Amino acid sequence: MENLDHGVNVAIIGAGWAGLAAAVALAQANIRVSVFEAARQMGGRARSVEIEGMALDNGQHVLIGAYSETLRLMQTVGADPKQLLARLPLAIEYPGKFSLRVPRRPAPLHLAEALLTASGLSWGERIAAVRFIKAMRSKAYRIPIDMPVAALLAQHRQTGALARYLWEPLCVSALNTPATSASAQTFLNVVRDGLDGACEASDFLIPRADLGKLFPEPAAAFVRANAGTVKLGTAVRTLDKTELGFVLDADPQPYSHAILAVGPHQIDTLLDRFEKLAPLRQSVAALAYEPIYTCYLQYPRDVSMPRPMTGFDGGSIQWLFDRGRLNGTAGLLAAVISARGAHQGSSQDLLANAIHRELSIFLPGLPAPLWSRVIAEKRATFSCRPGLVRPANQTGVEHLYLAGDYTASDYPATLESAVRSGTLAARLVLQS
């Protein structure tokens, strides 16, 4: 525990996935950390909530096999991914319209076979998809000038069913931004690592347990077991730097380093005492946001879907998950609506009723739900647009760092980018 005696102590403001990732990485290095969280629960925008006496998630999150840092940190804190995540080969199903399944074959054969055997596509569309991947691969998945995903797809003749059932749904689910306004470069980064990487990298990893058990709770336990503290219900409203170090209104003790791991919309007031960071505050304040709506509908226990996850087309919802098949909550379905749209103007009751009508077409004879609940994360992610400049983890103030899925990264706002930003912020502390 050598470093604990050298006056290095780090204040981490925010106990979301980024803040806890930073805390775990520092605790591993024997650095004393104190995590402050204003809410009574951890996880930030990917947290557990209680609905009808059940611990559920504030949104149905899906990880992929390429989330290497998330999986590594889960193992570090004793959360076994094999037990907590259902690993399913990538399969995109629009019943009666489109189907794509990635076989267990060595890369890159797995992707070529998946595209060439996808149903619902003409042979011309299948060949066009293979050519698109070959063209992007030859350019190392880099384009000279960023553009909307829809424009990139049009350039490479990725139109019709190919765009509607494959690329556009992948764009919305990964970037939470419509293809007409999403960053093509960020989308290509996801395709490169998640679809055109190793076969296992494309797997869907669907939580079997609530998000709290996936990482936040074991991470907090790990930090506490390594001489750190995690203080819930403790809001930090002001942050300043003196000769003694960083001073928080929530704690009289000064800190040698500070990591701000709150949401980007919450960061402005914490930086208002640092005049030199005015440009940073302005750039963060300029971020636009996209929502994610998740509607939980509890049906009688005998209601189930043919598959754990199904795509929807032509209505309001994009993906439907059978929680009974995933974690044993029989009859519970989770419908997800990503990005902005007309659904934002509906009341929760009207939206839940509309979703039930859509499900009734898919599952004829579906009875009325016993209860339903809509969870709306209105700032679920930043809007991932072309040419967006995201702030670095290192600020212009010595020993003050940022962590969060909105910071500079190849990836969009995902759990993986949040975790990576946290471990990068921790690495900067160690280097300092």
Side-chain angles (χ1 to χ4, degrees):
M1 306 293 284
E2 180 182 355
N3 287 317
L4 293 179
D5 298 324
H6 286 184
V8 179
N9 59 340
V10 184
I12 300 176
I13 305 171
W17 288 57
L20 289 170
V24 168
L26 290 170
Q28 273 190 296
N30 296 331
I31 297 293
R32 184 183 290 114
V33 297
S34 297
V35 183
F36 300 88
E37 171 56 55
R40 293 288 180 182
Q41 71 277 359
M42 298 170 291
R45 284 164 286 136
R47 65 189 183 279
S48 303
V49 296
E50 186 171 305
I51 301 176
E52 298 294 326
M54 291 186 292
L56 295 172
D57 302 330
N58 69 318
Q60 177 62 59
H61 291 263
V62 177
L63 292 73
I64 61 173
Y67 283 11
S68 56
E69 189 67 5
T70 303
L71 297 175
R72 183 188 72 81
L73 276 189
M74 286 178 64
Q75 292 175 324
T76 297
V77 300
D80 186 356
K82 293 181 180 179
Q83 297 295 323
L84 295 170
L85 298 169
R87 180 179 282 270
L88 306 174
L90 174 62
I92 301 175
E93 301 280 349
Y94 288 86
K97 298 178 180 179
F98 176 83
S99 175
L100 177 141
R101 293 178 176 272
V102 175
R104 289 293 188 209
R105 297 198 185 282
L109 296 178
H110 70 301
L111 180 55
E113 183 173 331
L115 294 172
L116 291 173
T117 59
S119 66
L121 300 178
S122 67
W123 268 109
E125 288 172 324
R126 296 174 190 176
I127 297 299
V130 172
R131 286 176 175 167
F132 174 57
I133 292 296
K134 287 183 65 178
M136 294 300 99
R137 193 183 291 153
S138 70
K139 299 174 182 178
Y141 284 92
R142 305 297 301 179
I143 53 178
I145 300 175
D146 203 358
M147 64 182 76
V149 169
L152 178 72
L153 297 179
Q155 278 187 6
H156 291 268
R157 299 181 181 180
Q158 305 297 290
T159 56
L162 193 55
R164 182 170 183 171
Y165 298 120
L166 178 58
W167 301 126
E168 290 176 1
L170 285 177
C171 171
V172 172
S173 60
L175 277 64
N176 194 39
T177 307
T180 53
S181 56
S183 162
Q185 184 57 70
T186 305
F187 176 66
L188 289 176
N189 297 340
V190 174
V191 173
R192 175 197 66 205
D193 294 348
L195 201 58
D196 199 23
C199 181
E200 296 78 11
S202 67
D203 287 348
F204 284 138
L205 306 179
I206 306 178
R208 293 185 183 275
D210 64 77
L211 290 172
K213 295 182 176 63
L214 217 61
F215 179 66
E217 292 173 14
F222 181 91
V223 169
R224 289 170 175 139
N226 286 272
T229 60
V230 179
K231 302 177 181 181
L232 303 181
T234 306
V236 176
R237 296 180 177 85
T238 62
L239 176 69
D240 206 349
K241 191 177 185 184
T242 70
E243 294 180 355
L244 296 176
F246 291 97
V247 179
L248 292 63
D249 64 319
D251 189 355
Q253 119 175 269
Y255 289 87
S256 63
H257 300 69
I259 297 175
L260 302 187
V262 298
H265 61 284
Q266 300 167 314
I267 205 168
D268 190 66
T269 55
L270 291 172
L271 295 179
D272 65 1
R273 300 191 180 188
F274 300 92
E275 292 184 7
K276 66 188 303 182
L277 297 184
L280 169 63
R281 294 171 62 191
Q282 292 171 358
S283 67
V284 173
L287 291 174
Y289 296 91
E290 300 284 350
I292 296 178
Y293 282 59
T294 303
C295 180
Y296 288 102
L297 302 104
Q298 177 66 66
Y299 292 99
R301 294 179 59 85
D302 59 345
V303 171
S304 65
M305 291 167 42
R307 304 171 191 85
M309 174 180 173
T310 301
F312 269 69
D313 173 60
S316 58
I317 66 176
Q318 290 131 359
W319 301 100
L320 181 67
F321 297 84
D322 187 339
R323 300 283 296 195
R325 286 182 172 271
L326 295 172
N327 66 359
T329 311
L332 181 63
L333 305 183
V336 177
I337 309 173
S338 296
R340 65 189 62 188
H343 58 279
Q344 293 175 270
S346 297
S347 69
Q348 293 202 0
D349 287 343
L350 287 176
L351 185 57
N353 290 337
I355 290 173
H356 170 67
R357 289 194 295 272
E358 288 183 42
L359 300 186
S360 297
I361 298 172
F362 175 58
L363 297 170
L366 184 68
L370 305 177
W371 56 262
S372 63
R373 183 73 57 84
V374 176
I375 298 178
E377 282 288 337
K378 296 183 179 180
R379 291 190 182 100
T381 69
F382 63 87
S383 189
C384 191
R385 301 185 181 184
L388 180 67
V389 178
R390 295 155 64 178
N393 295 84
Q394 191 153 9
T395 72
V397 174
E398 188 179 26
H399 296 167
L400 176 63
Y401 309 99
L402 304 180
D405 58 15
Y406 68 98
T407 57
S409 166
D410 272 357
Y411 287 172
T414 61
L415 294 178
E416 177 71 1
S417 57
V419 166
R420 288 190 181 195
S421 76
T423 54
L424 176 55
R427 191 155 56 246
L428 291 170
V429 169
L430 296 175
Q431 291 171 356
S432 72

